[in-house]
Amino acid sequence: MVKELTVKVFSDGANLDNMLNDLNSGIVTGFTTNPSLMKKAGITSYIGFAKEVLKEIKTYPVSFEVFADEIDQMEKEARRIATLAENVYVKIPITNSKGESTVPLINRLTADGIKVNVTAIFTIKQVEEVVAVLKNNTPSIVSVFAGRIADTGVDPMPIMKEALEICRKKELAELLWASPRETFNIYQANELGVDIITCTSDLIKKLSLKDKDLTQYSLETVQMFLRDSTSLGFNILE
Ligand SMILES: O=C(CO)[C@@H](O)[C@H](O)[C@H](O)[C@H](O)COP(=O)(O)O
């Protein structure tokens, strides 16, 4: 168990067994899902899945994303999702697929006390626009896709640092590091003072490697190669 992390580690996925395992690890204090993760997990009923999750996870925050693309439909879905439980955050992408801003919608929802997780944020301009409409008395999450930013060859650290300063302007706004690529990102997020990082179960498991002796890890890596080469049984000298 990793004790010295101050960043909150959320579990990112839509497989209830994995979510519960992550919960039992004692590391995870929240959950996020998205349409792609629900598709991957083979979810067949949105509300059925959400209710199953919320029956098990009653206190930690759980983010469920809207599926609609038209803003008025998004609003209807958001208001429905928000009624599911107190610990629900409604995930709203910062734009729809046509590039129409959801900021006015986020303004309306948060004015009504609906907790939102604004997702798919990649730029400081987007962070500024959304934080401007968040409310001091309504908890909210601002999800910046640090990993996808890094995929483009851009260092996400300065962006996350600036995003954090902007989020601090609203009392209950938390910055979330989304799409991490490796366990090291958890320590980077921690170092910056980012509030939350959401990780797949695979990454969360790798936290157990913290402070592992590298010489020992090297040996175990070679032992893994040996196990696999033995099972393949090739004769290179034939
Ligand atoms: O809820 C969130 C962010 O709030 C997450 O589910 C977020 O959508 C995911 O971390 C990202 O979509 C994962 O991105 P990637 O690793 O597939 O590039």
Side-chain angles (χ1 to χ4, degrees):
M1 161 120 177
V2 180
K3 289 216 172 75
E4 64 269 36
L5 288 178
T6 55
V7 65
K8 291 187 258 184
V9 179
F10 283 12
S11 164
D12 197 24
N15 177 300
L16 186 54
D17 288 340
N18 288 345
M19 293 167 83
L20 294 177
N21 279 340
D22 292 340
L23 180 67
N24 292 333
S25 72
I27 293 167
V28 163
T29 56
F31 298 83
T32 53
T33 63
N34 69 36
S36 306
L37 293 166
M38 284 171 79
K39 182 175 177 205
K40 190 172 163 208
I43 301 301
T44 51
S45 158
Y46 187 108
I47 295 292
F49 168 68
K51 283 187 172 165
E52 232 185 313
V53 169
L54 294 168
K55 203 165 72 188
E56 301 289 341
I57 301 161
K58 292 189 163 65
T59 49
Y60 291 128
V62 187
S63 293
F64 290 108
E65 189 160 339
V66 293
F67 268 41
D69 196 46
E70 296 304 326
I71 308 279
D72 56 339
Q73 286 303 313
M74 269 190 201
E75 180 157 3
K76 284 184 188 148
E77 289 185 359
R79 291 182 186 279
R80 166 79 171 103
I81 294 167
T83 63
L84 291 173
E86 254 311 296
N87 55 328
V88 166
Y89 281 65
V90 182
K91 274 180 74 186
I92 310 278
I94 185 69
T95 143
N96 70 2
S97 72
K98 291 173 277 211
E100 293 163 345
S101 173
T102 58
V103 169
L105 168 62
I106 292 158
N107 188 23
R108 286 197 294 281
L109 295 172
T110 52
D112 287 344
I114 292 177
K115 297 189 279 291
V116 294
N117 173 349
V118 186
T119 194
I121 294 180
F122 283 64
T123 70
I124 288 298
K125 185 167 171 278
Q126 290 172 325
V127 177
E128 278 168 344
E129 284 171 0
V130 75
V131 172
V133 302
L134 296 178
K135 311 293 179 291
N136 276 322
N137 55 358
T138 303
S140 52
I141 296 174
V142 175
S143 288
V144 178
F145 279 47
R148 288 195 180 214
I149 293 169
D151 290 344
T152 70
V154 172
D155 179 1
M157 291 292 274
I159 296 176
M160 296 309 280
K161 189 169 183 288
E162 199 176 341
L164 190 59
E165 283 158 18
I166 300 165
C167 285
R168 288 293 173 263
K169 291 179 185 161
K170 289 290 158 72
E171 276 172 33
L172 300 180
E174 293 188 288
L175 178 66
L176 180 148
W177 179 308
S179 69
R181 296 289 177 254
E182 53 195 358
T183 321
F184 186 60
N185 298 151
I186 301 173
Y187 302 105
Q188 288 178 307
N190 195 54
E191 188 67 32
L192 277 185
V194 168
D195 302 293
I196 305 165
I197 183 163
T198 193
C199 305
T200 56
S201 300
D202 289 350
L203 270 197
I204 292 165
K205 283 198 192 84
K206 283 191 187 165
L207 273 174
S208 63
L209 291 171
K210 187 174 187 310
D211 295 333
K212 190 171 174 72
D213 178 83
L214 293 182
T215 306
Q216 173 62 22
Y217 199 16
S218 166
L219 186 65
E220 287 173 18
T221 300
V222 174
Q223 288 167 347
M224 177 195 77
F225 292 150
L226 179 64
R227 273 196 309 277
D228 289 338
S229 59
T230 305
S231 80
L232 282 169
F234 293 141
N235 178 2
I236 299 175
L237 303 178
E238 71 187 348

